[in-house]
Amino acid sequence: QVQLVESGGGSVQSGGSLRLSCQASGSPSSRYCMGWLRQAPGKAREGVAITCRDDSQVYADSVKGRFTISQNVAKNTLYLQMNNLKPEDTGMYYCVAGHQKALVPLAPNSYDNWGQGTQVTVSS
């Protein structure tokens, strides 16, 4: 069982920055890969960025060069640094965890453990 608690969301103007945090607890074996997914209003959930213990990282094309995923293993905390935010980045951001490397890392159904989400709103 894994518990994931997100924080750091908010409202910013286009071009601004935010850093999301995800505090994880529970079984370490269930957190081989961790990452962020998001859901915009009226749209399906989509993968944003995933990192795994083998140091692999995957980013959605829409955020490459703007978002950076990282983690502090000692603090059991995952981060998502988001720079140069755009209105299309608006949505609910969820922290996720999986016990193994997924065949499709950015697919939402690859993850069993989800946080409650934190809202990000970017205005133009």
Side-chain angles (χ1 to χ4, degrees), residues 96-124:
V96 297
H99 66 282
Q100 62 184 10
K101 198 167 183 178
L103 290 176
V104 185
L106 293 176
N109 61 7
S110 294
Y111 301 95
D112 297 328
N113 300 289
W114 292 66
Q116 293 299 307
T118 185
Q119 178 68 36
V120 172
T121 302
V122 185
S123 58
S124 57

Side-chain angles (χ1 to χ4, degrees), residues 9-62:
S11 297
V12 296
Q13 290 191 328
S14 181
S17 297
L18 284 172
R19 188 176 82 154
L20 305 184
S21 298
C22 172
Q23 181 67 52
S25 60
S27 172
S29 63
S30 297
R31 292 184 269 132
Y32 184 81
C33 292
M34 294 187 67
W36 298 91
L37 278 68
R38 68 186 180 188
Q39 186 168 23
K43 295 187 177 181
R45 289 179 177 179
E46 63 176 358
V48 176
I50 302 294
T51 185
C52 298
R53 288 184 188 169
D54 63 356
D55 293 331
S56 61
Q57 294 186 342
V58 179
Y59 291 90
D61 288 342
S62 59

